[in-house]
Amino acid sequence: MEEQEPMITIADLSQKILAMDRQYDLSKILSAYQLAEKAHANQKRSSGQPYIIHPLAVADILLDLGMDTDTICVGLLHDVVEDTEYTLDDIRKLFGQDVAMLVDGVTKLNKVPNFNKEEQQATNVRKILLAMSHDIRVMIIKLADRLHNMRTLQFMTPAKQKEKAKETMDIYAPIAQRLGISKIKTELDDLALKYSQPEVFYDLVNQINARKTEREEFVEQ
């Protein structure tokens, strides 16, 4: 049986929003989903599944971080201007200036060139990315985007896995740490290690599991 990406649906996302204490504009979020679904209709992920899985997962990560309605909308729309026929003006007319500004910010971040292996270069890229994020929500959306792509890295080629793992370790995990988002920083570090140094990663996993078993036995006694 072919491996597939774990999938969150718009129904899952809607239920989660309705169950939260915080007030969200659900109709605006649903409109953003409908546009994203239509825009990405013919696109697929590396796993072969519909592309809409990715924006939904990004929106879900942003929701877990407690981000606002417009940021959730941009989670759904973040690849629309770059990858489909829709323009920034379309986004502005439908969802307002705030959403359009955030989509534009994420689109521009995606155009920052890759870096070489020098630490100084990675530091410069981090500075460029943060400087370009005039609204900090832009960088948080980019981190959520990177996190979901790292969670589904098994569908990439080994060379691409190593490249993305290094990029994540050198650029995105340190930015998450700088922004104080430890939950994302830790998971990015773990996933980057899993693909850049798998033997070290699985050795650590085994050690942690062994200690967990020891602790459980101790508690039982």
Side-chain angles (χ1 to χ4, degrees):
M1 189 175 167
E2 205 172 287
E3 193 178 2
Q4 291 197 318
E5 288 189 49
M7 183 175 172
I8 182 165
T9 66
I10 189 60
D12 297 329
L13 195 70
S14 301
Q15 282 183 338
K16 203 166 175 178
I17 289 167
L18 291 169
M20 296 177 91
D21 292 335
R22 191 166 175 177
Q23 292 298 304
Y24 283 96
D25 184 344
L26 186 55
S27 64
K28 187 173 185 178
I29 292 168
L30 289 172
S31 295
Y33 166 75
Q34 284 158 2
L35 188 141
E37 186 183 41
K38 185 178 173 188
H40 295 298
N42 299 317
Q43 297 172 353
K44 303 275 188 196
R45 294 276 287 164
S46 300
S47 61
Q49 288 173 279
Y51 192 86
I52 193 65
I53 286 175
H54 173 64
L56 276 166
V58 171
D60 186 51
I61 291 166
L62 293 167
L63 189 62
D64 285 342
L65 290 172
M67 303 306 290
D68 62 3
T69 292
D70 282 352
T71 310
I72 307 299
C73 287
V74 179
L76 292 162
L77 298 167
H78 72 277
D79 283 331
V80 163
V81 171
E82 189 173 16
D83 294 342
T84 80
E85 61 192 21
Y86 284 91
T87 66
L88 206 55
D89 276 340
D90 294 331
I91 301 295
R92 191 176 289 109
K93 283 172 195 161
L94 291 164
F95 300 101
Q97 175 58 29
D98 192 47
V99 170
M101 179 268 295
L102 292 172
V103 170
D104 187 42
V106 177
T107 304
K108 283 174 178 165
L109 285 193
N110 290 339
K111 290 178 178 162
V112 173
N114 281 344
F115 61 99
N116 60 33
K117 291 180 179 177
E118 293 174 18
E119 174 56 34
Q120 184 58 43
Q121 183 73 9
T123 303
N124 289 342
V125 174
R126 287 200 297 269
K127 285 178 182 170
I128 290 165
L129 291 175
L130 285 165
M132 286 174 69
S133 306
H134 297 299
D135 186 315
I136 202 61
R137 290 176 297 174
V138 170
M139 196 67 243
I140 294 170
I141 295 158
K142 182 64 189 167
L143 288 172
D145 171 55
R146 173 55 59 125
L147 179 56
H148 181 246
N149 282 328
M150 287 301 291
R151 284 176 178 173
T152 55
L153 206 57
Q154 72 266 36
F155 300 104
M156 295 281 192
T157 63
K160 198 54 123 173
Q161 288 173 353
K162 286 209 178 305
E163 178 193 321
K164 293 291 178 192
K166 175 156 180 55
E167 202 173 76
T168 297
M169 204 174 274
D170 289 351
I171 291 177
Y172 292 102
I175 288 175
Q177 181 175 22
R178 184 165 171 185
L179 297 182
I181 314 173
S182 58
K183 184 180 172 186
I184 285 188
K185 194 262 181 196
T186 303
E187 192 175 349
L188 286 176
D189 274 338
D190 287 349
L191 290 165
L193 185 64
K194 180 180 177 181
Y195 289 100
S196 60
Q197 299 180 66
E199 62 293 333
V200 175
F201 174 79
Y202 286 109
D203 183 47
L204 284 170
V205 168
N206 289 334
Q207 286 182 45
I208 290 164
N209 287 340
R211 282 177 195 150
K212 185 178 174 218
T213 306
E214 282 172 22
R215 283 197 303 272
E216 285 169 352
E217 285 170 358
F218 176 74
V219 169
E220 283 294 320
Q221 287 169 6

